[in-house]
Amino acid sequence: MEEILVILVIGLVVIAAATLLGERFGVASPLILVAVGVGASFLPLFDSIQVDPELILQGVLPPLLYSAAVSMPTMNFRREFGAISGLSVLLVVVSALLLGLFFMLVIPGLGFAWGVALGAIISPTDAVATSIIKRSPVSPRVVALLDGESLLNDATALVVLRTAIVATAATFSFWGSVGTFAYSVAIAIVIGVVVAALNLAVRRRITSPTVNTVISFTVPFLASVPAELLGASGLVAAVVAGLITGIRAPRELSPQHRLSDSQNWRTVELVLEGAVFLTMGIQIKAIITDVERDHAGVGVSLVIAFAALALIILIRAAYVAPLLAVLSRLTRRGANMQGQLQGLQEKLADPNERVAAYTDFARGRAPKARDAQRFATRVTRVLADIDYFRRQPLGWREGTIVVWAGMRGAVTVAAAQILPEETPARSVIVLIAFAVALFSLTIQGGTLAAVIRRLGRAADKSAAEIDHDAETAGIMDLLMTTAKQFDEPATVEGEPRLATFARRKEYRLTVLRAQRTALLDARDNGTFDADVLEKALADLDASEIAIEMRG
């Protein structure tokens, strides 16, 4: 027991030190942690350490993905959902199949089905690994694409992996595989929605921020465990629960509760992410020992892994290039519609003309007033989307970053280790998967900052034509307009000071809450930049907390 405690304490110290050193020297802390883990794997203290891959897949990833989903700008996720879906489903399937053919040719006796299984293992980008990109100065659209892809592609990879394993012992059914994937995702979405709704319904009735945060720690598991028991994707369920919680929490939970959640979840993320990379490194000695025991050849396996990484980067580049062309064409199409939509928006803004304008658009169908209002909201969102895509175009520089930042990580290593014991050349497969993840982190992760600098200003956030001053001014105008809707409480002669203070406090809280609602409506419509809007919401939260504390 003392040995385990010593290892845990050392692990926490190493994680904290790696984070500080990474910030100090400009090196991604995951790279430091993997290097430390590799070195520690050769120490006698870690000879008896065995990392259960299910612990990573079911114990660590659900809370990490849930937390990432909660904090992700939902409007950016919605806008990029089409591209994200292609990256997380189609690209994973194509990569697994092409890599399966490659592995069948270079690993004697493996066969196509087992090759596809290994291809599925190394195809998905890793949510923890891609956290490196969040610390880099890149376009928010690049971050949204990579973040959204890594949240969803694990489910595709695991379904392909399971299908490939089944195909080794039974007849493969394409439509059966499609049905399995559809079932896995559909059930996960339903469970994620239900858990998120129950989560918010319960937590908004709890007054203690501490208790509220403790309950939040259970949410990813309340979503993922039932989904896995029903044969669905627990990771997708956790992501859906996180996305809905992130959207609804500012409307349903108090600022104190959300601040407590944010601070504590950041600590959890730091520890779990650090633990994931440390355990990756610690497993290297045992993996190499297994390969040597099977006389499979470590050097050959490493060469195959390096070739596989090069191939998967090429496949990714071949997919991203036409994707960017399609997105660019859609942006131009939206720009061509912008003038017409702006004219329609002006008509819809006038309550007297709104129904008539909607009737013209609906080709004479008699609308209800709420239909016209919904249509006006939809037009506003479409115009905001067009403006977003025009201000932040994805060119070849951004495409290069999307390709190079698609790193593999702990999911690849954990998925390889859940392969059945009867898998042909199992030790080699596990080593290749580990080496691909390690090469990806060190080569891609270690050079990502240099690649971004090399690409120049066009890949930087500052190149995105976002006028933050204008955005801030627009938000301030909205806040002032909202505040003017409320009259300040009049002074009442003879009223006790405490009563006057209570009335003024209630007035300030009412205004702040109305301003938050206005900003959240603007968020849902995509009216302002996500980062600027998030800062404004944080300022409102801080003001409300300060007023409550003075009471």
Side-chain angles (χ1 to χ4, degrees):
M1 184 64 182
E2 289 81 3
E3 185 177 282
I4 295 176
L5 290 175
V6 169
I7 292 174
L8 288 175
V9 171
I10 292 174
L12 291 174
V13 172
V14 169
I15 290 169
T19 303
L20 295 175
L21 289 174
E23 293 175 353
R24 176 69 175 81
F25 296 104
V27 179
S29 59
L31 303 180
I32 300 174
L33 291 169
V34 170
V36 171
V38 170
S41 69
F42 294 91
L43 299 177
L45 179 64
F46 295 94
D47 284 342
S48 59
I49 298 296
Q50 297 291 331
V51 180
D52 185 352
E54 293 292 346
L55 177 64
I56 302 295
L57 293 175
Q58 298 186 21
V60 174
L61 285 180
L64 281 177
L65 294 180
Y66 169 83
S67 180
V70 168
S71 59
M72 184 174 187
T74 52
M75 211 34 49
N76 291 355
F77 181 83
R78 177 189 64 77
R79 285 165 168 162
E80 307 291 356
F81 185 73
I84 289 171
S85 300
L87 289 168
S88 57
V89 178
L90 182 59
L91 179 58
V92 170
V93 173
V94 171
S95 299
L97 294 174
L98 293 178
L99 287 167
L101 181 61
F102 168 75
F103 289 127
M104 180 185 70
L105 295 175
V106 300
I107 302 177
L110 186 64
F112 181 65
W114 287 115
V116 172
L118 178 52
I121 288 169
I122 67 174
S123 290
T125 57
D126 188 83
V128 182
T130 53
S131 64
I132 296 174
I133 195 67
K134 297 178 183 177
R135 307 181 184 101
S136 305
V138 297
S139 165
R141 289 193 67 186
V142 173
V143 175
L145 285 173
L146 293 169
D147 225 359
E149 176 192 9
S150 63
L151 288 178
L152 299 177
N153 61 12
D154 294 332
T156 306
L158 291 176
V159 170
V160 174
L161 173 60
R162 292 167 183 162
T163 303
I165 293 174
V166 170
T168 62
T171 303
F172 172 75
S173 169
F174 172 78
W175 290 113
S177 301
V178 172
T180 298
F181 178 77
Y183 170 84
S184 176
V185 173
I187 297 299
I189 291 174
V190 171
I191 292 176
V193 170
V194 171
V195 169
L198 293 175
N199 160 47
L200 293 171
V202 170
R203 291 174 60 199
R204 67 169 169 255
R205 291 171 170 80
I206 296 174
T207 57
S208 169
T210 305
V211 174
N212 212 293
T213 299
V214 170
I215 294 175
S216 77
F217 291 153
T218 68
V219 175
F221 301 106
L222 291 174
S224 64
V225 173
E228 291 289 342
L229 292 175
L230 293 174
S233 172
L235 300 181
V236 171
V239 168
V240 171
L243 289 172
I244 294 177
T245 300
I247 293 171
R248 297 299 308 171
R251 296 185 186 272
E252 302 196 29
L253 301 182
S254 70
Q256 293 89 336
H257 290 173
R258 286 183 281 108
L259 178 63
S260 175
D261 277 6
S262 176
Q263 292 173 336
N264 287 285
W265 271 103
R266 278 202 296 268
T267 303
V268 170
E269 282 185 8
L270 177 66
V271 173
L272 291 182
E273 286 181 4
V276 163
F277 289 111
L278 271 177
T279 55
M280 271 187 64
I282 288 172
Q283 296 175 78
I284 183 61
K285 182 182 177 183
I287 293 172
I288 292 176
T289 301
D290 289 342
V291 174
E292 292 176 339
R293 183 192 61 216
D294 296 337
H295 306 287
V298 173
V300 174
S301 300
L302 295 179
V303 171
I304 292 174
F306 187 83
L309 177 61
L311 178 58
I312 202 169
I313 292 174
L314 289 175
I315 294 171
R316 186 174 178 84
Y319 180 87
V320 169
L323 172 64
L324 294 183
V326 171
L327 293 177
S328 178
R329 186 163 61 250
L330 292 175
T331 299
R332 289 195 299 271
R333 182 184 299 176
N336 293 334
M337 296 171 54
Q338 193 170 20
Q340 180 183 355
L341 289 173
Q342 286 174 339
L344 182 59
Q345 185 185 42
E346 292 175 1
K347 293 181 180 179
L348 291 169
D350 186 347
N352 297 323
E353 296 187 25
R354 180 177 301 160
V355 174
Y358 176 74
T359 302
D360 291 340
F361 184 85
R363 298 181 180 178
R365 182 171 62 86
K368 297 180 181 179
R370 65 173 179 268
D371 293 334
Q373 179 58 48
R374 289 172 183 168
F375 180 67
T377 300
R378 176 60 181 161
V379 170
T380 300
R381 290 183 180 180
V382 171
L383 281 170
D385 291 349
I386 292 173
D387 189 51
Y388 167 82
F389 291 129
R390 291 188 66 185
R391 287 188 290 114
Q392 301 186 62
L394 293 178
W396 67 268
R397 294 177 177 84
E398 289 78 16
T400 302
I401 296 174
V402 170
V403 172
W404 197 247
M407 290 167 280
R408 276 66 195 166
V411 173
T412 292
V413 176
Q417 292 179 320
I418 66 174
L419 288 170
E421 291 297 331
E422 63 272 16
T423 302
R426 185 180 186 278
S427 60
V428 172
I429 288 178
V430 174
L431 177 57
I432 290 174
F434 180 89
V436 167
L438 184 61
F439 290 156
S440 178
L441 283 172
T442 53
I443 297 174
Q444 294 174 262
T447 60
L448 182 60
V451 168
I452 293 173
R453 287 195 301 270
R454 182 73 175 174
L455 291 174
R457 187 176 182 272
D460 193 279
K461 277 183 180 179
S462 60
E465 297 176 7
I466 300 175
D467 188 341
H468 288 277
D469 291 338
E471 293 277 316
T472 302
I475 289 176
M476 293 303 299
D477 287 343
L478 177 60
L479 295 178
M480 293 177 63
T481 301
T482 304
K484 290 177 180 177
Q485 298 175 5
F486 301 89
D487 296 326
E488 288 195 38
T491 302
V492 178
E493 292 187 12
E495 183 180 48
R497 181 177 299 177
L498 286 178
T500 302
F501 177 80
R503 286 195 303 110
R504 292 189 176 278
K505 174 184 174 182
E506 185 60 32
Y507 162 76
R508 288 194 292 269
L509 290 175
T510 301
V511 171
L512 285 173
R513 289 162 185 164
Q515 289 175 327
R516 180 182 297 108
T517 299
L519 288 184
L520 291 174
D521 290 340
R523 178 204 65 181
D524 293 343
N525 292 334
T527 307
F528 300 109
D529 175 69
D531 292 335
V532 179
L533 191 60
E534 182 180 0
K535 184 180 182 302
L537 286 168
D539 291 342
L540 288 183
D541 286 349
S543 298
E544 183 170 340
I545 291 172
I547 292 173
E548 292 281 9
M549 290 180 65
R550 285 200 297 268

